[in-house]
Amino acid sequence: MSGDLEIDHGGAIAVDTEAMRDVGRRMTSLASHLEEARDAVMRARGIIVGAPGFAEQVDVGALEASRDRIGALRSEVDEASIGTLLMADAFEIVELRAEAEALAHTDAAAAAALEARIDRMVTADARIGAMADQLVAQWENERFEGLDTQWDMGELLPPFFTIGAFIGTTARLGHVLPGMTLKGDVEPVSVTTVKSSTPDAPPATLRGAFERMPKDASAQVAVEKLRFDDGSTKYMVYLKGTQNFVPWQAGGPEPWDMKSNAELYTGEKSASYKAVIDALHAAGAESGDTIGVVAHSQAGMIAVHMAMESSFDVEFVATAGSPTVGTFRDDLLAVQILHTDDVVGSMSGGGSPAGSGSPDSFIATRVADPNPGIQDLALAPHRFEPYLETAEMIDESDDPRAVALDDYWTRLGEAVSVERTEYHAERTR
């Protein structure tokens, strides 16, 4: 496996803001305890020095050295606490700016109120605004790492590998904000069952979830219905990426094609999106039912819109190499995997500088293919297999958010039965 894995709460945010503030407050409390310990040492020294003959039996110099070491440690903890709380404020500025941008599309007054709050915070301490700007600048410098170093036939090829990043950062279509629902008409599709099975259990790891993609070559969607002891049900849906990349065949029978790619990226309804909704209904899912979505490439765009506008209660989204990222509600667990050298994924503009979803949600990034070669022409970093490797790296990570993801698999594992159906979809005109 190549490339160091980075796991962040958002593109420019390492951890959830409140979690960082909690660390800062704990350090402040520790500094107070250290001061109490320093005072206790000083009192002990005073007692020893004041007791006749006692000082000759105790190393007073060692006590004084301990006092100095505790004092120095207290100063270090104080400094770290102040820095941590400042960083939490900087993270909050990044989050508030992203939230204000999102609200501008749906609630101008609320957006203006947030902007005023940001101004007050920055005015109160100019360091916070500067730190927030630095965080975003660093993220912007690193979000496309590896794209411009891919194989270009000794500079004979045009700058093909940076096209996605250019589109993502200029068109700003890669970040789906609240209120940005799919528009227009959609072609009719037919959805038919091609394979049914009863797996022993739901997935137990992130890689395992991505490996539940449809096995039948003709299927684009797999739906698993999970039943639990209390009679409740959940659905997991696994969505393949683009199946037909040939431009002049766009709009043909295959819904997972370049036409659907263009439609979804520009905010239009696609046959592939409709096919997924139809497949869920065919599997028995109804409005309000709980859904988890695992998706690669084009299907990542489908997953984003399912979570943000469908009638289902989407509780979990895992995407790999998606050209768009979503602004998810704060009780949705979102895992976004993005290779920084992935041309298709770069169309998201590198994602969002702020976090999205629940506090345990995260964005995992790495350079998937750091060695330039002819494989770059086949978009090697975007292929499914490297994303499987990255999912496995997340499974093996000791990052608290990766560990917290195990709780989701544990809850799924309580299912007493799993019914799996794979579906093939076609445009019917």
Side-chain angles (χ1 to χ4, degrees):
M1 299 182 187
S2 57
D4 293 331
L5 182 69
E6 295 285 342
I7 297 179
D8 298 305
H9 183 62
I13 300 177
V15 299
D16 176 64
T17 303
E18 283 309 308
M20 176 163 272
R21 283 206 175 95
D22 182 59
V23 171
R25 288 190 290 264
R26 288 169 181 263
M27 285 194 287
T28 300
S29 176
L30 174 60
S32 176
H33 290 311
L34 287 170
E35 184 61 24
E36 292 173 0
R38 181 178 179 277
D39 289 343
V41 171
M42 290 298 293
R43 288 195 301 272
R45 179 189 178 281
I47 292 170
I48 292 169
V49 171
F54 200 5
E56 289 78 11
Q57 301 178 43
V58 178
D59 188 348
V60 177
L63 280 175
E64 293 172 345
S66 295
R67 172 202 63 195
D68 294 342
R69 285 197 296 271
I70 293 172
L73 181 58
R74 186 258 163 87
S75 296
E76 291 176 9
V77 172
D78 265 339
E79 185 177 340
S81 174
I82 292 169
T84 300
L85 293 172
L86 274 174
M87 184 61 73
D89 287 342
F91 282 174
E92 184 174 3
I93 291 292
V94 175
E95 290 177 333
L96 290 175
R97 285 172 176 169
E99 187 178 352
E101 180 186 7
L103 282 171
H105 293 260
T106 57
D107 191 337
L114 277 184
E115 291 288 358
R117 179 180 169 188
I118 292 168
D119 290 342
R120 288 193 298 271
M121 290 179 67
V122 172
T123 300
D125 190 333
R127 293 175 297 176
I128 298 172
M131 290 171 69
D133 292 341
Q134 185 177 4
L135 284 170
V136 173
Q138 181 178 351
W139 165 69
E140 289 177 342
N141 287 334
E142 297 175 352
R143 57 184 165 166
F144 303 126
E145 184 180 357
L147 268 182
D148 59 354
T149 59
Q150 298 191 56
W151 191 61
D152 60 2
M153 286 184 63
E155 301 183 354
L156 294 178
L157 287 178
F160 166 75
F161 297 106
T162 58
I163 289 175
F166 176 79
I167 294 172
T169 54
T170 56
R172 296 175 64 85
L173 297 173
H175 187 190
V176 182
L177 301 172
M180 295 172 63
T181 57
L182 296 173
K183 310 295 184 184
D185 298 323
V186 63
E187 301 134 314
V189 293
S190 66
V191 174
T192 56
T193 299
V194 295
K195 186 177 183 181
S196 298
S197 60
T198 54
D200 293 334
T205 63
L206 186 59
R207 175 169 181 140
F210 277 102
E211 288 178 334
R212 307 284 275 235
M213 291 293 176
K215 304 302 180 186
D216 190 283
S218 67
Q220 307 101 333
V221 183
V223 180
E224 293 180 353
K225 183 176 183 178
L226 282 59
R227 297 182 185 274
F228 296 83
D229 264 334
D230 61 1
S232 63
T233 58
K234 290 185 179 183
Y235 294 84
M236 292 293 293
V237 56
Y238 308 93
L239 308 176
K240 285 181 178 179
T242 305
Q243 298 298 292
N244 188 338
F245 293 90
V246 181
W248 53 87
Q249 292 179 358
E254 173 58 69
W256 269 252
D257 63 353
M258 297 305 289
K259 181 179 183 183
S260 287
N261 270 325
E263 289 169 336
L264 289 166
Y265 190 69
T266 57
E268 299 291 323
K269 293 178 181 177
S270 74
S272 56
Y273 182 85
K274 184 178 188 303
V276 174
I277 303 300
D278 289 352
L280 276 163
H281 286 309
E286 299 178 352
S287 178
D289 281 346
T290 303
I291 306 290
V293 189
V294 179
H296 173 240
S297 189
Q298 176 186 140
M301 297 189 284
I302 297 173
V304 166
H305 284 283
M306 285 181 66
M308 295 182 64
E309 64 178 275
S310 78
S311 64
F312 300 114
D313 176 19
V314 179
E315 67 170 5
F316 173 72
V317 170
T319 61
S322 175
T324 63
V325 297
T327 307
F328 302 120
R329 63 181 195 274
D330 58 12
D331 64 344
L332 183 150
L333 177 59
V335 177
Q336 301 173 75
I337 311 176
L338 187 62
H339 296 153
T340 56
D341 54 342
D342 177 355
V343 174
V344 176
S346 71
M347 294 179 69
S348 69
S352 168
S356 178
S358 70
D360 287 330
S361 298
F362 60 88
I363 299 173
T365 58
R366 73 177 177 112
V367 178
D369 182 32
N371 301 315
I374 196 170
Q375 75 279 359
D376 291 336
L377 298 180
L379 305 185
H382 183 66
R383 296 176 66 84
F384 187 57
E385 291 74 16
Y387 275 111
L388 280 181
E389 292 182 356
T390 307
E392 184 175 351
M393 294 171 75
I394 294 169
D395 289 328
E396 295 172 350
S397 171
D398 59 1
D399 183 280
R401 287 153 297 201
V403 174
L405 180 59
D406 291 338
D407 293 339
Y408 183 73
W409 308 127
T410 298
R411 292 195 297 274
L412 286 189
E414 295 172 356
V416 295
S417 69
V418 182
E419 301 171 10
R420 177 180 169 92
T421 310
E422 298 187 9
Y423 295 96
H424 170 74
E426 283 191 8
R427 289 189 181 91
T428 55
R429 71 174 187 191

